[in-house]
């Protein structure tokens, strides 16, 4: 059997919506984007939403809109996708890495507090694998002067104690990349309750221009525009926004399916040497990915076994501090992120998507339970167990 890592859930009606945009003659950011932005405000209970061409470009625009740049520091977790740190560098600021909590793999809030300096302007907590960081606790630890920009790329459906991304921070940024829970191939969104940030962001996503294409010809007459502050090009076209329109109504159904599949993995693997992050009380995880930790340096071998059996397992993520760009940077401390390093070396992700069929999941579980587990070197596992103590 072949089980892919991911299969998208775009409804067939998506093609009709794209055809409508083509027929309308207006291809870039216009009414269809505005409609989805309104829906996002309603879903997240926030006052402003801006669709962007990706999480990455949305984050660059948000950092520019907040005036973060050279001389500033931004705290980021080491255990994340590289984009979280790269966007900080792209605006000329310095990413300051902190390690993860060993149980949840989310940013360690005490370490984040300890990393604050007079130059710290912001922190980008990452809702890794779909579990939301405790934003009120992070705010309490850091105090009011530091901006909190949530990396909610994994967390469209997630919540903690009933609160959703964007409600308790300065902004939350989503990704609609091809394999994310909600997708339009490439895309993203920034949501915020901060009216000033929203106004600056509107310009920052269009080079800093004071009027977007839809406004430049409002009333049938050309309007002049100005640029007061540097921006990037980060807007999403209507052509792609309509693909989101078609998914928003069924988000909860897809999450239910993800939850059932994730629990089945958990129940079947509980008590084996394979580990997975703890989901805390009060959290509804978006269940973006299902990571397992393989002990004793045997991850790559297990990955090969799974791949050879037709199972699309992948590695998301290694500690960002181990990538050459950051490892060769003398300002990034060495060997200071043991939890991120260990999970980065030991983790692989199993197939998890709403249309994964039960017999496909059974196949993955059978390979894990009857081929992978008996082949694990128990001596290496014990050694690691002792080392962990
Ligand atoms: C996918 C991802 C991003 C980047 O999203 P893009 O839309 O591809 O720019 C950022 N952070 C995390 C944690 C991600 O998984």
């Amino acid at each position: 059997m072949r089980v892919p890592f991911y299969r998208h859930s775009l409804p067939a009606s998506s093609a009709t919506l794209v055809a409508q945009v083509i027929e309308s003659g207006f291809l870039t950011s216009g009414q269809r984007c505005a409609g989805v932005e309104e829906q996002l405000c309603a879903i997240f209970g926030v006052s402003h939403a801006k669709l962007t061409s990706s999480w990455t470009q949305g984050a660059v625009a948000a950092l520019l809109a907040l005036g973060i740049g050279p001389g500033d520091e931004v705290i980021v977790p080491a255990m994340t996708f590289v984009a979280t740190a790269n966007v900080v560098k792209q605006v000329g600021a310095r990413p300051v890495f902190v390690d993860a909590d060993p149980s949840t793999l989310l940013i360690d809030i005490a370490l984040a507090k300890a990393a604050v300096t007079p130059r710290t302007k912001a922190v980008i907590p990452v809702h890794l694998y779909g579990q939301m960081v405790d934003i009120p606790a992070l705010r309490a630890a850091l105090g009011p002067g530091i901006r909190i920009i949530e990396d909610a790329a994994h967390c469209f459906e997630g919540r903690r104690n009933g609160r959703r991304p964007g409600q308790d921070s300065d902004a939350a940024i989503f990704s609609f990349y091809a394999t994310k829970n909600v997708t339009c191939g490439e895309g993203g969104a920034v949501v915020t309750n901060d009216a000033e940030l929203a106004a600056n962001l509107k310009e920052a996503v269009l080079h800093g221009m004071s009027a977007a294409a839809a406004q430049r010809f409002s009333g049938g007459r050309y309007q002049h525009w100005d640029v007061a502050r540097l921006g990037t090009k980060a807007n999403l076209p209507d052509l792609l926004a309509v693909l989101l329109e078609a998914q928003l109504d069924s988000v909860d159904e897809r999450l239910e399916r993800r939850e059932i599949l994730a629990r089945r993995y958990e129940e079947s693997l509980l008590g084996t040497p394979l580990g997975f992050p703890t989901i805390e009380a009060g959290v509804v995880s978006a269940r973006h990915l299902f990571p397992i930790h393989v002990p004793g340096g045997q991850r790559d071998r297990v990955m090969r076994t799974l791949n050879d059996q037709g199972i699309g397992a992948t590695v998301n993520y290694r500690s960002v501090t181990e990538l050459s760009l950051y490892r060769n940077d003398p300002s990034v401390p060495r060997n200071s992120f043991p939890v991120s390093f260990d999970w980065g070396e030991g983790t692989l992700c199993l197939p998890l998507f709403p249309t994964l069929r039960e017999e496909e999941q059974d196949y993955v579980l059978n390979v894990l339970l009857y081929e992978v587990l008996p082949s694990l070197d128990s001596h290496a596992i014990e050694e690691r167990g002792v080392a962990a103590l």
Side-chain angles (χ1 to χ4, degrees), residues 41-46 127 130-136 150 155-168 193 280-285:
C41 285
I43 291 171
F44 293 101
V46 296
H127 306 322
Q131 172 161 221
M132 222 182 135
V133 172
D134 189 341
I135 299 299
E150 298 170 70
C155 200
F156 192 89
E157 309 91 327
R159 49 208 99 167
R160 184 184 277 262
N161 301 324
R163 306 291 288 169
R164 307 193 62 145
Q167 294 185 334
D168 297 307
N193 277 319
E280 294 183 315
V283 169
V284 175
S285 171

Side-chain angles (χ1 to χ4, degrees), residues 355-370:
T355 60
L356 182 68
R357 294 190 305 273
E358 198 168 297
E359 66 264 28
E360 291 177 316
Q361 189 179 33
D362 285 343
Y363 177 70
V364 175
L365 281 168
N366 281 335
V367 172
L368 278 172
L369 293 171
Y370 303 112

Side-chain angles (χ1 to χ4, degrees), residues 10 244 274:
L10 292 189
L244 299 172
L274 302 175

Side-chain angles (χ1 to χ4, degrees), residues 52-58 79-84 87 126-129 151-154 173-180 185-189 288-289 316-317:
T52 57
S53 52
S54 64
W55 181 96
T56 302
Q57 279 302 312
M79 176 43 70
T80 181
F81 180 54
V82 67
T84 317
V87 294
V126 179
H127 306 322
L128 197 72
Y129 302 129
D151 180 340
H154 297 181
I173 308 177
F174 301 97
S175 171
F176 304 131
Y177 174 70
T179 57
K180 299 287 160 56
E186 297 281 358
H288 173 50
L289 297 168
N316 328 59
Y317 303 91

Side-chain angles (χ1 to χ4, degrees), residues 183-256:
T183 181
C184 58
E186 297 281 358
V190 184
V191 299
T192 180
N193 277 319
D194 180 338
E196 189 188 339
L197 171 58
N200 288 338
L201 187 68
K202 226 169 155 177
E203 298 187 354
V205 298
L206 276 172
H207 314 286
M209 289 164 76
S210 54
Q215 282 90 51
R216 290 200 293 277
F217 289 95
S218 66
R221 290 213 172 126
Y222 181 80
Q223 314 276 318
H224 278 301
W225 49 269
D226 186 26
V227 170
R229 301 194 335 168
L230 180 67
T232 182
K233 182 64 159 54
N235 60 307
L236 189 78
D238 276 9
L239 267 175
L240 291 178
V242 289
L243 299 181
L244 299 172
E245 242 176 76
Q247 281 163 74
L248 295 182
D249 291 344
S250 50
V251 160
D252 290 342
E253 287 157 40
R254 286 196 306 280
L255 178 61
E256 231 171 86

